[in-house]
Amino acid sequence: MNGFEKHGIDHLSASSVNLWSNAPDVWVASYLFQRKTAMGPAPWRGICVEDAVVETLCGGKQAEAIDKAMEKFHSRFMIADDDIAREAARIAPMVEIAVQELAQYGKPDFPEDSKQEKISITARGEDWSIPVIGFLDLVFPDHGLVIDLKTTGRIPSSMSAEHQLQRAIYAKAKGGNMAVKFLYVSEKKASLLEDGDPTELLAQAKVQITRMEAFLRTLDKEQAKAIVPINPASFYWKGSEDLRKEFYGM
C-alpha cells in the first residue's frame, strides 16, 4: 500500500502541493486530520467577486450580480471588523474592472450543470500514481484561452511560485491547445500574467509529491503530527491560531 492509499488521499491539487511545500504543519492538520484552517475575508471576497463576474459575463445584470455578491459576502461574517469592511468595499470595483477586462472574450464556456471545468493530470512514482486536479474559472474556446481570476489588494509584477504551479497544471491538462493566463484584479486596475515554464514547474512538483508520498508511507497520522515542524508565525495560521494551539499545543 502506498502512502496516499494508506491515508485515504485519492487526489491532490495545486493548493495541497503548495501547502505541503510551504506549511507542512498546516497540511498535516488539514489533510490527515481534516482540521481545516478558517477562510478569512480576503479569499471569501475573491469567491464572491468571481460569482458576480461569471454571472455578468453570462448575460446577467452587473448591478444585480454585485448585490448578490455583497449579500453572500456578508452572510459569512456575523460581526464586521476593519478587515471585513475593507474587503467588502473592494467587491464592486473588482467586479467592474474584471468585467471590463474580460468582456472582449464574450461568454465563457462551461460544462453542463457546472460553473467550472474540472481538469486532471496524473503524478506517477515507481509504485504509485495519483490524480492532481483543478477547476478552471473561465474558458473561452473561440479565443483558445483559459483565464483564472485572482483578486488581490495589490497587483503583482509577476506570478507567485504557487500560482505558477497552478497555471502549469492547467496548461498540462489542456495539452498545450489553449493559452492559460491569470488575470489579477485589484480595486483599481488589472494585469494579465503567464509566468513560468510548465515543464520545469511540474518536474519540481513531482519531487515534492514524491516526498509527500514517502512521508505518508513511513508514518501514521499521529506520528506525522508528533514530528512535523510547527511554524506559529506562518500566515497560513492567520485566523486559526486557536486551532493551532489546540492541535499542536503552541
PDB file of all heavy atoms in Angstrom, residues 135-164:
ATOM      1  N   PHE A 135      -9.822  23.188 -11.123  1.00  0.00           N
ATOM      2  CA  PHE A 135     -11.075  23.670 -11.703  1.00  0.00           C
ATOM      3  C   PHE A 135     -10.812  24.996 -12.407  1.00  0.00           C
ATOM      4  O   PHE A 135     -10.288  25.935 -11.797  1.00  0.00           O
ATOM      5  CB  PHE A 135     -12.149  23.828 -10.624  1.00  0.00           C
ATOM      6  CG  PHE A 135     -12.555  22.529  -9.992  1.00  0.00           C
ATOM      7  CD1 PHE A 135     -11.879  22.032  -8.888  1.00  0.00           C
ATOM      8  CD2 PHE A 135     -13.602  21.776 -10.534  1.00  0.00           C
ATOM      9  CE1 PHE A 135     -12.242  20.830  -8.313  1.00  0.00           C
ATOM     10  CE2 PHE A 135     -13.968  20.564  -9.974  1.00  0.00           C
ATOM     11  CZ  PHE A 135     -13.282  20.094  -8.860  1.00  0.00           C
ATOM     12  N   LEU A 136     -11.160  25.048 -13.673  1.00  0.00           N
ATOM     13  CA  LEU A 136     -10.901  26.237 -14.481  1.00  0.00           C
ATOM     14  C   LEU A 136     -11.987  27.278 -14.257  1.00  0.00           C
ATOM     15  O   LEU A 136     -13.180  26.964 -14.290  1.00  0.00           O
ATOM     16  CB  LEU A 136     -10.842  25.866 -15.961  1.00  0.00           C
ATOM     17  CG  LEU A 136      -9.858  24.750 -16.340  1.00  0.00           C
ATOM     18  CD1 LEU A 136      -9.898  24.510 -17.843  1.00  0.00           C
ATOM     19  CD2 LEU A 136      -8.440  25.086 -15.882  1.00  0.00           C
ATOM     20  N   ASP A 137     -11.580  28.512 -14.047  1.00  0.00           N
ATOM     21  CA  ASP A 137     -12.543  29.592 -13.819  1.00  0.00           C
ATOM     22  C   ASP A 137     -13.289  29.950 -15.102  1.00  0.00           C
ATOM     23  O   ASP A 137     -14.512  29.876 -15.171  1.00  0.00           O
ATOM     24  CB  ASP A 137     -11.834  30.845 -13.291  1.00  0.00           C
ATOM     25  CG  ASP A 137     -11.400  30.700 -11.835  1.00  0.00           C
ATOM     26  OD1 ASP A 137     -11.839  29.750 -11.177  1.00  0.00           O
ATOM     27  OD2 ASP A 137     -10.622  31.560 -11.375  1.00  0.00           O
ATOM     28  N   LEU A 138     -12.538  30.354 -16.119  1.00  0.00           N
ATOM     29  CA  LEU A 138     -13.142  30.909 -17.341  1.00  0.00           C
ATOM     30  C   LEU A 138     -12.457  30.324 -18.567  1.00  0.00           C
ATOM     31  O   LEU A 138     -11.239  30.455 -18.731  1.00  0.00           O
ATOM     32  CB  LEU A 138     -13.000  32.441 -17.357  1.00  0.00           C
ATOM     33  CG  LEU A 138     -13.660  33.170 -16.173  1.00  0.00           C
ATOM     34  CD1 LEU A 138     -13.081  34.569 -16.021  1.00  0.00           C
ATOM     35  CD2 LEU A 138     -15.172  33.226 -16.360  1.00  0.00           C
ATOM     36  N   VAL A 139     -13.229  29.679 -19.418  1.00  0.00           N
ATOM     37  CA  VAL A 139     -12.705  29.077 -20.645  1.00  0.00           C
ATOM     38  C   VAL A 139     -13.373  29.749 -21.836  1.00  0.00           C
ATOM     39  O   VAL A 139     -14.602  29.822 -21.919  1.00  0.00           O
ATOM     40  CB  VAL A 139     -12.977  27.557 -20.676  1.00  0.00           C
ATOM     41  CG1 VAL A 139     -12.412  26.944 -21.950  1.00  0.00           C
ATOM     42  CG2 VAL A 139     -12.376  26.877 -19.437  1.00  0.00           C
ATOM     43  N   PHE A 140     -12.535  30.247 -22.754  1.00  0.00           N
ATOM     44  CA  PHE A 140     -13.027  30.916 -23.960  1.00  0.00           C
ATOM     45  C   PHE A 140     -12.498  30.161 -25.182  1.00  0.00           C
ATOM     46  O   PHE A 140     -11.439  30.504 -25.727  1.00  0.00           O
ATOM     47  CB  PHE A 140     -12.562  32.379 -23.989  1.00  0.00           C
ATOM     48  CG  PHE A 140     -13.015  33.191 -22.801  1.00  0.00           C
ATOM     49  CD1 PHE A 140     -12.163  33.422 -21.730  1.00  0.00           C
ATOM     50  CD2 PHE A 140     -14.292  33.741 -22.770  1.00  0.00           C
ATOM     51  CE1 PHE A 140     -12.580  34.178 -20.643  1.00  0.00           C
ATOM     52  CE2 PHE A 140     -14.721  34.507 -21.684  1.00  0.00           C
ATOM     53  CZ  PHE A 140     -13.854  34.716 -20.616  1.00  0.00           C
ATOM     54  N   PRO A 141     -13.185  29.096 -25.599  1.00  0.00           N
ATOM     55  CA  PRO A 141     -12.666  28.234 -26.672  1.00  0.00           C
ATOM     56  C   PRO A 141     -12.405  28.976 -27.979  1.00  0.00           C
ATOM     57  O   PRO A 141     -11.434  28.665 -28.686  1.00  0.00           O
ATOM     58  CB  PRO A 141     -13.780  27.189 -26.840  1.00  0.00           C
ATOM     59  CG  PRO A 141     -14.515  27.200 -25.549  1.00  0.00           C
ATOM     60  CD  PRO A 141     -14.460  28.609 -25.065  1.00  0.00           C
ATOM     61  N   ASP A 142     -13.248  29.933 -28.327  1.00  0.00           N
ATOM     62  CA  ASP A 142     -13.074  30.649 -29.588  1.00  0.00           C
ATOM     63  C   ASP A 142     -11.783  31.467 -29.614  1.00  0.00           C
ATOM     64  O   ASP A 142     -11.283  31.811 -30.691  1.00  0.00           O
ATOM     65  CB  ASP A 142     -14.260  31.582 -29.840  1.00  0.00           C
ATOM     66  CG  ASP A 142     -15.547  30.814 -30.131  1.00  0.00           C
ATOM     67  OD1 ASP A 142     -15.451  29.608 -30.442  1.00  0.00           O
ATOM     68  OD2 ASP A 142     -16.634  31.409 -30.040  1.00  0.00           O
ATOM     69  N   HIS A 143     -11.270  31.766 -28.449  1.00  0.00           N
ATOM     70  CA  HIS A 143     -10.026  32.537 -28.348  1.00  0.00           C
ATOM     71  C   HIS A 143      -8.843  31.664 -27.938  1.00  0.00           C
ATOM     72  O   HIS A 143      -7.727  32.173 -27.780  1.00  0.00           O
ATOM     73  CB  HIS A 143     -10.196  33.679 -27.337  1.00  0.00           C
ATOM     74  CG  HIS A 143     -11.232  34.688 -27.731  1.00  0.00           C
ATOM     75  ND1 HIS A 143     -10.946  35.792 -28.492  1.00  0.00           N
ATOM     76  CD2 HIS A 143     -12.560  34.736 -27.476  1.00  0.00           C
ATOM     77  CE1 HIS A 143     -12.056  36.495 -28.677  1.00  0.00           C
ATOM     78  NE2 HIS A 143     -13.049  35.884 -28.081  1.00  0.00           N
ATOM     79  N   GLY A 144      -9.093  30.365 -27.777  1.00  0.00           N
ATOM     80  CA  GLY A 144      -8.027  29.463 -27.344  1.00  0.00           C
ATOM     81  C   GLY A 144      -7.430  29.881 -26.016  1.00  0.00           C
ATOM     82  O   GLY A 144      -6.205  29.822 -25.822  1.00  0.00           O
ATOM     83  N   LEU A 145      -8.291  30.263 -25.072  1.00  0.00           N
ATOM     84  CA  LEU A 145      -7.808  30.914 -23.861  1.00  0.00           C
ATOM     85  C   LEU A 145      -8.517  30.411 -22.604  1.00  0.00           C
ATOM     86  O   LEU A 145      -9.746  30.274 -22.583  1.00  0.00           O
ATOM     87  CB  LEU A 145      -8.029  32.428 -23.996  1.00  0.00           C
ATOM     88  CG  LEU A 145      -7.556  33.331 -22.857  1.00  0.00           C
ATOM     89  CD1 LEU A 145      -6.046  33.243 -22.676  1.00  0.00           C
ATOM     90  CD2 LEU A 145      -7.970  34.775 -23.145  1.00  0.00           C
ATOM     91  N   VAL A 146      -7.728  30.139 -21.581  1.00  0.00           N
ATOM     92  CA  VAL A 146      -8.228  29.861 -20.239  1.00  0.00           C
ATOM     93  C   VAL A 146      -7.739  30.984 -19.329  1.00  0.00           C
ATOM     94  O   VAL A 146      -6.548  31.314 -19.335  1.00  0.00           O
ATOM     95  CB  VAL A 146      -7.710  28.509 -19.706  1.00  0.00           C
ATOM     96  CG1 VAL A 146      -8.113  28.316 -18.242  1.00  0.00           C
ATOM     97  CG2 VAL A 146      -8.224  27.361 -20.549  1.00  0.00           C
ATOM     98  N   ILE A 147      -8.641  31.559 -18.565  1.00  0.00           N
ATOM     99  CA  ILE A 147      -8.267  32.623 -17.637  1.00  0.00           C
ATOM    100  C   ILE A 147      -8.686  32.246 -16.230  1.00  0.00           C
ATOM    101  O   ILE A 147      -9.834  31.870 -15.995  1.00  0.00           O
ATOM    102  CB  ILE A 147      -8.896  33.974 -18.034  1.00  0.00           C
ATOM    103  CG1 ILE A 147      -8.280  34.474 -19.353  1.00  0.00           C
ATOM    104  CG2 ILE A 147      -8.699  35.019 -16.928  1.00  0.00           C
ATOM    105  CD1 ILE A 147      -8.787  35.821 -19.811  1.00  0.00           C
ATOM    106  N   ASP A 148      -7.732  32.341 -15.320  1.00  0.00           N
ATOM    107  CA  ASP A 148      -8.021  32.159 -13.899  1.00  0.00           C
ATOM    108  C   ASP A 148      -8.053  33.545 -13.261  1.00  0.00           C
ATOM    109  O   ASP A 148      -7.136  34.346 -13.440  1.00  0.00           O
ATOM    110  CB  ASP A 148      -6.948  31.296 -13.233  1.00  0.00           C
ATOM    111  CG  ASP A 148      -7.396  30.793 -11.878  1.00  0.00           C
ATOM    112  OD1 ASP A 148      -8.023  29.725 -11.830  1.00  0.00           O
ATOM    113  OD2 ASP A 148      -7.125  31.473 -10.865  1.00  0.00           O
ATOM    114  N   LEU A 149      -9.111  33.825 -12.538  1.00  0.00           N
ATOM    115  CA  LEU A 149      -9.313  35.147 -11.950  1.00  0.00           C
ATOM    116  C   LEU A 149      -8.751  35.177 -10.529  1.00  0.00           C
ATOM    117  O   LEU A 149      -9.132  34.371  -9.684  1.00  0.00           O
ATOM    118  CB  LEU A 149     -10.800  35.487 -11.940  1.00  0.00           C
ATOM    119  CG  LEU A 149     -11.205  36.843 -11.354  1.00  0.00           C
ATOM    120  CD1 LEU A 149     -10.596  37.982 -12.163  1.00  0.00           C
ATOM    121  CD2 LEU A 149     -12.730  36.965 -11.329  1.00  0.00           C
ATOM    122  N   LYS A 150      -7.851  36.125 -10.277  1.00  0.00           N
ATOM    123  CA  LYS A 150      -7.261  36.295  -8.953  1.00  0.00           C
ATOM    124  C   LYS A 150      -7.522  37.724  -8.484  1.00  0.00           C
ATOM    125  O   LYS A 150      -7.053  38.683  -9.103  1.00  0.00           O
ATOM    126  CB  LYS A 150      -5.750  36.054  -8.990  1.00  0.00           C
ATOM    127  CG  LYS A 150      -5.332  34.662  -9.424  1.00  0.00           C
ATOM    128  CD  LYS A 150      -5.746  33.612  -8.416  1.00  0.00           C
ATOM    129  CE  LYS A 150      -5.198  32.232  -8.778  1.00  0.00           C
ATOM    130  NZ  LYS A 150      -5.750  31.170  -7.922  1.00  0.00           N
ATOM    131  N   THR A 151      -8.269  37.874  -7.415  1.00  0.00           N
ATOM    132  CA  THR A 151      -8.468  39.198  -6.843  1.00  0.00           C
ATOM    133  C   THR A 151      -7.411  39.434  -5.777  1.00  0.00           C
ATOM    134  O   THR A 151      -7.024  38.517  -5.053  1.00  0.00           O
ATOM    135  CB  THR A 151      -9.873  39.340  -6.231  1.00  0.00           C
ATOM    136  OG1 THR A 151     -10.046  38.364  -5.202  1.00  0.00           O
ATOM    137  CG2 THR A 151     -10.944  39.143  -7.291  1.00  0.00           C
ATOM    138  N   THR A 152      -6.938  40.655  -5.694  1.00  0.00           N
ATOM    139  CA  THR A 152      -5.821  40.953  -4.812  1.00  0.00           C
ATOM    140  C   THR A 152      -5.832  42.421  -4.414  1.00  0.00           C
ATOM    141  O   THR A 152      -6.308  43.274  -5.173  1.00  0.00           O
ATOM    142  CB  THR A 152      -4.482  40.624  -5.516  1.00  0.00           C
ATOM    143  OG1 THR A 152      -3.396  40.950  -4.658  1.00  0.00           O
ATOM    144  CG2 THR A 152      -4.334  41.378  -6.821  1.00  0.00           C
ATOM    145  N   GLY A 153      -5.316  42.697  -3.236  1.00  0.00           N
ATOM    146  CA  GLY A 153      -5.198  44.084  -2.815  1.00  0.00           C
ATOM    147  C   GLY A 153      -4.101  44.811  -3.547  1.00  0.00           C
ATOM    148  O   GLY A 153      -4.106  46.041  -3.630  1.00  0.00           O
ATOM    149  N   ARG A 154      -3.166  44.054  -4.101  1.00  0.00           N
ATOM    150  CA  ARG A 154      -2.017  44.650  -4.791  1.00  0.00           C
ATOM    151  C   ARG A 154      -1.649  43.810  -5.999  1.00  0.00           C
ATOM    152  O   ARG A 154      -1.431  42.601  -5.874  1.00  0.00           O
ATOM    153  CB  ARG A 154      -0.845  44.719  -3.815  1.00  0.00           C
ATOM    154  CG  ARG A 154       0.318  45.544  -4.290  1.00  0.00           C
ATOM    155  CD  ARG A 154       1.371  45.578  -3.189  1.00  0.00           C
ATOM    156  NE  ARG A 154       2.248  46.712  -3.315  1.00  0.00           N
ATOM    157  CZ  ARG A 154       3.204  47.003  -2.440  1.00  0.00           C
ATOM    158  NH1 ARG A 154       3.358  46.243  -1.383  1.00  0.00           N
ATOM    159  NH2 ARG A 154       3.971  48.048  -2.625  1.00  0.00           N
ATOM    160  N   ILE A 155      -1.585  44.422  -7.172  1.00  0.00           N
ATOM    161  CA  ILE A 155      -1.258  43.688  -8.401  1.00  0.00           C
ATOM    162  C   ILE A 155       0.225  43.310  -8.393  1.00  0.00           C
ATOM    163  O   ILE A 155       1.085  44.181  -8.250  1.00  0.00           O
ATOM    164  CB  ILE A 155      -1.569  44.550  -9.646  1.00  0.00           C
ATOM    165  CG1 ILE A 155      -3.045  44.936  -9.701  1.00  0.00           C
ATOM    166  CG2 ILE A 155      -1.149  43.808 -10.913  1.00  0.00           C
ATOM    167  CD1 ILE A 155      -3.982  43.792  -9.943  1.00  0.00           C
ATOM    168  N   PRO A 156       0.559  42.023  -8.562  1.00  0.00           N
ATOM    169  CA  PRO A 156       1.975  41.629  -8.591  1.00  0.00           C
ATOM    170  C   PRO A 156       2.604  41.936  -9.956  1.00  0.00           C
ATOM    171  O   PRO A 156       1.915  42.020 -10.971  1.00  0.00           O
ATOM    172  CB  PRO A 156       1.910  40.122  -8.353  1.00  0.00           C
ATOM    173  CG  PRO A 156       0.594  39.715  -8.954  1.00  0.00           C
ATOM    174  CD  PRO A 156      -0.350  40.860  -8.685  1.00  0.00           C
ATOM    175  N   SER A 157       3.919  42.086  -9.956  1.00  0.00           N
ATOM    176  CA  SER A 157       4.631  42.269 -11.226  1.00  0.00           C
ATOM    177  C   SER A 157       4.860  40.932 -11.914  1.00  0.00           C
ATOM    178  O   SER A 157       5.042  40.874 -13.132  1.00  0.00           O
ATOM    179  CB  SER A 157       5.968  42.975 -10.980  1.00  0.00           C
ATOM    180  OG  SER A 157       6.771  42.231 -10.076  1.00  0.00           O
ATOM    181  N   SER A 158       4.861  39.852 -11.142  1.00  0.00           N
ATOM    182  CA  SER A 158       4.979  38.505 -11.700  1.00  0.00           C
ATOM    183  C   SER A 158       4.208  37.542 -10.809  1.00  0.00           C
ATOM    184  O   SER A 158       3.929  37.828  -9.645  1.00  0.00           O
ATOM    185  CB  SER A 158       6.447  38.071 -11.807  1.00  0.00           C
ATOM    186  OG  SER A 158       7.054  38.057 -10.528  1.00  0.00           O
ATOM    187  N   MET A 159       3.870  36.390 -11.349  1.00  0.00           N
ATOM    188  CA  MET A 159       3.091  35.405 -10.616  1.00  0.00           C
ATOM    189  C   MET A 159       3.923  34.762  -9.516  1.00  0.00           C
ATOM    190  O   MET A 159       5.116  34.505  -9.690  1.00  0.00           O
ATOM    191  CB  MET A 159       2.582  34.325 -11.572  1.00  0.00           C
ATOM    192  CG  MET A 159       1.604  34.830 -12.615  1.00  0.00           C
ATOM    193  SD  MET A 159       1.199  33.566 -13.853  1.00  0.00           S
ATOM    194  CE  MET A 159       0.418  32.317 -12.820  1.00  0.00           C
ATOM    195  N   SER A 160       3.287  34.487  -8.393  1.00  0.00           N
ATOM    196  CA  SER A 160       3.956  33.762  -7.315  1.00  0.00           C
ATOM    197  C   SER A 160       4.269  32.338  -7.772  1.00  0.00           C
ATOM    198  O   SER A 160       3.668  31.813  -8.727  1.00  0.00           O
ATOM    199  CB  SER A 160       3.066  33.718  -6.075  1.00  0.00           C
ATOM    200  OG  SER A 160       1.912  32.924  -6.325  1.00  0.00           O
ATOM    201  N   ALA A 161       5.187  31.700  -7.072  1.00  0.00           N
ATOM    202  CA  ALA A 161       5.524  30.303  -7.386  1.00  0.00           C
ATOM    203  C   ALA A 161       4.294  29.412  -7.253  1.00  0.00           C
ATOM    204  O   ALA A 161       4.108  28.472  -8.035  1.00  0.00           O
ATOM    205  CB  ALA A 161       6.639  29.825  -6.467  1.00  0.00           C
ATOM    206  N   GLU A 162       3.449  29.712  -6.258  1.00  0.00           N
ATOM    207  CA  GLU A 162       2.249  28.918  -6.036  1.00  0.00           C
ATOM    208  C   GLU A 162       1.289  29.028  -7.210  1.00  0.00           C
ATOM    209  O   GLU A 162       0.711  28.034  -7.674  1.00  0.00           O
ATOM    210  CB  GLU A 162       1.565  29.358  -4.740  1.00  0.00           C
ATOM    211  CG  GLU A 162       2.332  29.040  -3.477  1.00  0.00           C
ATOM    212  CD  GLU A 162       3.501  29.991  -3.223  1.00  0.00           C
ATOM    213  OE1 GLU A 162       3.558  31.065  -3.854  1.00  0.00           O
ATOM    214  OE2 GLU A 162       4.354  29.658  -2.398  1.00  0.00           O
ATOM    215  N   HIS A 163       1.103  30.232  -7.715  1.00  0.00           N
ATOM    216  CA  HIS A 163       0.214  30.426  -8.860  1.00  0.00           C
ATOM    217  C   HIS A 163       0.829  29.868 -10.138  1.00  0.00           C
ATOM    218  O   HIS A 163       0.104  29.378 -11.019  1.00  0.00           O
ATOM    219  CB  HIS A 163      -0.100  31.913  -9.030  1.00  0.00           C
ATOM    220  CG  HIS A 163      -1.027  32.443  -7.979  1.00  0.00           C
ATOM    221  ND1 HIS A 163      -1.367  33.776  -7.894  1.00  0.00           N
ATOM    222  CD2 HIS A 163      -1.696  31.820  -6.977  1.00  0.00           C
ATOM    223  CE1 HIS A 163      -2.197  33.955  -6.872  1.00  0.00           C
ATOM    224  NE2 HIS A 163      -2.409  32.771  -6.304  1.00  0.00           N
ATOM    225  N   GLN A 164       2.143  29.930 -10.242  1.00  0.00           N
ATOM    226  CA  GLN A 164       2.795  29.350 -11.418  1.00  0.00           C
ATOM    227  C   GLN A 164       2.551  27.846 -11.492  1.00  0.00           C
ATOM    228  O   GLN A 164       2.339  27.299 -12.579  1.00  0.00           O
ATOM    229  CB  GLN A 164       4.295  29.654 -11.389  1.00  0.00           C
ATOM    230  CG  GLN A 164       4.636  31.111 -11.690  1.00  0.00           C
ATOM    231  CD  GLN A 164       6.127  31.346 -11.791  1.00  0.00           C
ATOM    232  OE1 GLN A 164       6.864  30.497 -12.294  1.00  0.00           O
ATOM    233  NE2 GLN A 164       6.588  32.493 -11.332  1.00  0.00           N
TER     234      GLN A 164
END
